[in-house]
Amino acid sequence: MTDQAPNDTLEPRTDRHAGPITIGRLIAVTAAASLLVGIIVGPIVSGRPAQAADTTGAPEHVVTVSGTGEVSVAPDVADVVIGVTVQKSTVTEAQSAAASSMSAVMAAIKKDGVDAKDIVTIDLSLSPVYDYSSSGSVPKLVGQQFTNTVKVTVRNLASVAAVVDDAIAAGATTVSGISFRVNDPKTVQAQARQLAMADARAKADALTSPAGVSVKGVAQITETTSQPTPVYYSASLDAKAASVSTPIQTGTTDIVIQVTVSYLIG
């Protein structure tokens, strides 16, 4: 009886210790498997490629040049800036006198064949006039000055001189200037553009040929169109000279196109 009691108590102890050892090993194996999965799946989830990027592509070689195309043509439109400036004692008197003078000027211009839509008001101004002749004293208000200015588009160049002369005779006090231009420059611009591109290509060929390469294509083109430079004319407003026709020369208008071209070379 005494020998069997110890054997009965040892067996349960062996079973209790075997359980915790088996669970610990299972946890360790599970953690290792999770780490391995994270290493494999991690790059895929983060969106980063597992292999290195291909850097074997060679960069493109270009040569950048500028070209200019210029075409001179006779203008077919003139823009004339004509104004009336009146000084009177009061604002009402100045405004009324300026309105009467400008109405007479526009009527004279229309008689010369200018359409009403080609007469545009570009400036209206009213300003006080002071007398500063008395030194050390407060300037004295002596009147009001009213100015009305219009831009007149003359489409018949043969009547430009008549427009200026008749406007002065009707009461215009200023002729700020005359500029000549081409009404529809698209056709001339197309010609200038072809010349500009030809100029740019010639420069590219001149640069690449000595280097042992040639033009293979075009990478980029930018264009700049320059506006014609106005030809200004100032008219004398002496009423006594109104009987003499104002001489006006239209000259030519230059249409200029500039391009910057980047050519692919190889």
Side-chain angles (χ1 to χ4, degrees), residues 127-246:
S127 58
V129 180
Y130 292 94
D131 181 9
Y132 295 91
S133 59
S134 300
S135 60
S137 61
V138 178
K140 180 181 179 182
L141 179 66
V142 295
Q144 299 288 336
Q145 181 174 282
F146 196 98
T147 298
N148 189 345
T149 306
V150 296
K151 184 181 76 171
V152 182
T153 299
V154 183
R155 303 186 184 279
N156 179 12
L157 295 185
S159 64
V160 173
V163 168
V164 172
D165 294 339
D166 293 345
I168 295 172
T173 58
T174 59
V175 178
S176 302
I178 298 177
S179 62
F180 299 95
R181 60 184 173 86
V182 178
N183 185 51
D184 186 5
K186 293 180 181 178
T187 301
V188 182
Q189 286 176 348
Q191 298 174 5
R193 187 174 295 110
Q194 291 180 353
L195 294 175
M197 289 299 296
D199 183 38
R201 180 56 189 264
K203 290 179 179 178
D205 291 339
L207 290 171
T208 56
S209 180
V213 294
S214 60
V215 172
K216 300 298 183 182
V218 176
Q220 185 178 11
I221 302 175
T222 58
E223 176 186 297
T224 302
T225 303
S226 64
Q227 297 296 326
T229 302
V231 180
Y232 291 105
Y233 156 82
S234 294
S236 171
L237 302 187
D238 185 359
K240 295 180 180 179
S243 59
V244 180
S245 178
T246 302

Side-chain angles (χ1 to χ4, degrees), residues 26-46:
L26 179 60
I27 294 173
V29 171
T30 304
S34 299
L35 178 62
L36 179 61
V37 172
I39 293 173
I40 296 174
V41 178
I44 299 175
V45 175
S46 63

Side-chain angles (χ1 to χ4, degrees), residues 36-162:
L36 179 61
V37 172
I39 293 173
I40 296 174
V41 178
I44 299 175
V45 175
S46 63
R48 299 176 181 174
Q51 63 182 25
D54 183 12
T55 58
T56 59
E60 293 182 337
H61 297 283
V62 299
V63 59
T64 301
V65 295
S66 61
T68 302
E70 182 176 340
V71 178
S72 297
V73 294
D76 55 10
V77 172
D79 295 315
V80 188
V81 179
I82 299 173
V84 169
T85 299
V86 176
Q87 180 178 327
K88 296 293 182 181
S89 300
T90 66
V91 172
T92 302
E93 291 175 346
Q95 185 275 333
S96 178
S100 297
S101 295
M102 181 52 74
S103 296
V105 168
M106 289 193 294
I109 291 173
K110 291 176 182 178
K111 287 183 179 179
D112 292 323
V114 177
D115 196 285
K117 66 180 179 61
D118 289 327
I119 304 174
V120 180
T121 300
I122 60 174
D123 179 56
L124 278 176
S125 63
L126 173 67
S127 58
V129 180
Y130 292 94
D131 181 9
Y132 295 91
S133 59
S134 300
S135 60
S137 61
V138 178
K140 180 181 179 182
L141 179 66
V142 295
Q144 299 288 336
Q145 181 174 282
F146 196 98
T147 298
N148 189 345
T149 306
V150 296
K151 184 181 76 171
V152 182
T153 299
V154 183
R155 303 186 184 279
N156 179 12
L157 295 185
S159 64
V160 173

